[in-house]
């Protein structure tokens, strides 16, 4: 009986000491849920839409000129004698082709690619020179009956063909040399060379 009483007394003392010690009971364990990170990388974003649209506009303008130039040239019968009237008509048509490029390029927004605005200005300058040469050659030819005006018109005709040869490698002129720009060019449907 003494042992039982001693045990009860001891248990009571331990309870009193623990309750009076002021130490808080340990907090319950925190449960942490680990979320595994995805091992699948996010799909790469496609080319920038503004870059694709800008490249499409530049390519459409320049390659559109080359295509129109080539189609017009192919339709001309070979061996036909060049007359004042036919030369005047041809200069007018070629001035129109070059003028369309100038208008289309000028209407484009600022370039989203490095160096794009400088390349665009270079193109506008070339096609403006071709347009003006053709228009001036036609004007001289139409206002004079001299052989000198025929010679000047012939030189003007050569000047209208210059941009087509100088911009044959348009993508090099635009410095398309990064993976991002190559991807954007591939998306721009007008950037497939017409030749």
């Amino acid at each position: 009986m003494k042992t039982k009483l001693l045990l009860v007394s001891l248990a009571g003392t331990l309870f009193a000491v623990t309750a009076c010690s002021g130490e808080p009971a340990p907090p319950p364990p925190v449960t942490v849920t680990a979320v595994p990170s995805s091992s699948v990388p996010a799909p790469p974003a496609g080319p920038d839409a503004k870059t694709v649209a800008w490249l499409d506009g530049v390519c459409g303008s320049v390659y559109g000129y080359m295509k129109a130039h080539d189609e017009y040239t192919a339709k001309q019968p070979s061996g036909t004698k060049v007359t004042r009237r036919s030369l005047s008509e041809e200069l007018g048509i070629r001035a129109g082709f070059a003028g369309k490029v100038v208008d289309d390029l000028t209407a484009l927004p600022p370039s989203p690619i490095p160096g794009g605005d400088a390349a665009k200005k270079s193109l506008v300058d070339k096609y403006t020179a071709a347009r003006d040469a053709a228009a001036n050659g036609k004007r001289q030819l139409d206002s004079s009956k001299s052989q000198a005006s025929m010679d000047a018109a012939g030189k003007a005709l050569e000047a209208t063909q210059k941009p087509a040869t100088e911009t044959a490698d348009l993508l090099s002129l635009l410095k398309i040399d990064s993976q991002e720009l190559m991807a954007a060019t591939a998306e721009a449907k007008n950037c497939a060379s017409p030749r």
Side-chain angles (χ1 to χ4, degrees), residues 1-13:
M1 182 90 176
K2 255 185 175 180
T3 315
K4 234 182 191 181
L5 190 54
L6 185 61
L7 282 175
V8 172
S9 174
L10 189 58
T13 306

Side-chain angles (χ1 to χ4, degrees), residues 2-192:
K2 255 185 175 180
T3 315
K4 234 182 191 181
L5 190 54
L6 185 61
L7 282 175
V8 172
S9 174
L10 189 58
T13 306
L14 279 173
F15 177 73
V17 170
T18 308
C20 294
S21 71
E23 291 182 31
V30 178
T31 306
V32 177
T33 307
V35 179
S37 63
S38 174
S39 61
V40 178
D48 176 59
K50 288 181 181 179
T51 302
V52 172
W54 190 85
L55 286 168
D56 205 39
V58 172
C59 291
S61 299
V62 173
Y63 289 156
Y65 172 87
M66 290 179 185
K67 184 178 178 189
H69 176 276
D70 291 350
E71 286 175 354
Y72 178 78
T73 302
K75 289 178 184 175
Q76 301 311 305
S78 61
T80 305
K81 183 178 176 186
V82 176
T83 64
R84 186 174 293 278
R85 182 177 175 200
S86 66
L87 189 53
S88 174
E89 182 181 313
E90 185 165 349
L91 285 169
I93 289 169
R94 292 183 187 268
F97 290 162
K100 180 172 179 358
V101 178
V102 172
D103 293 343
D104 290 350
L105 289 174
T106 303
L108 288 174
S111 171
I113 66 172
D117 288 324
K120 181 176 94 170
K121 183 184 180 323
S122 171
L123 290 167
V124 168
D125 291 348
K126 288 176 199 283
Y127 286 93
T128 298
R131 178 198 65 196
D132 294 350
N136 289 336
K138 177 176 172 35
R139 194 174 309 111
Q140 287 177 357
L141 189 63
D142 293 346
S143 66
S144 171
K145 302 293 181 200
S146 70
Q147 183 58 41
S149 66
M150 281 289 284
D151 295 342
K155 288 182 181 174
L157 189 59
E158 287 175 24
T160 66
Q161 298 171 18
K162 199 172 179 186
T165 58
E166 290 179 350
T167 56
D169 190 3
L170 178 60
L171 301 183
S172 177
L173 175 71
L174 293 171
K175 295 182 173 86
I176 305 298
D177 54 5
S178 70
Q179 292 291 1
E180 294 81 10
L181 290 177
M182 287 181 203
T185 303
E187 288 287 316
K189 65 181 189 305
N190 288 326
C191 286

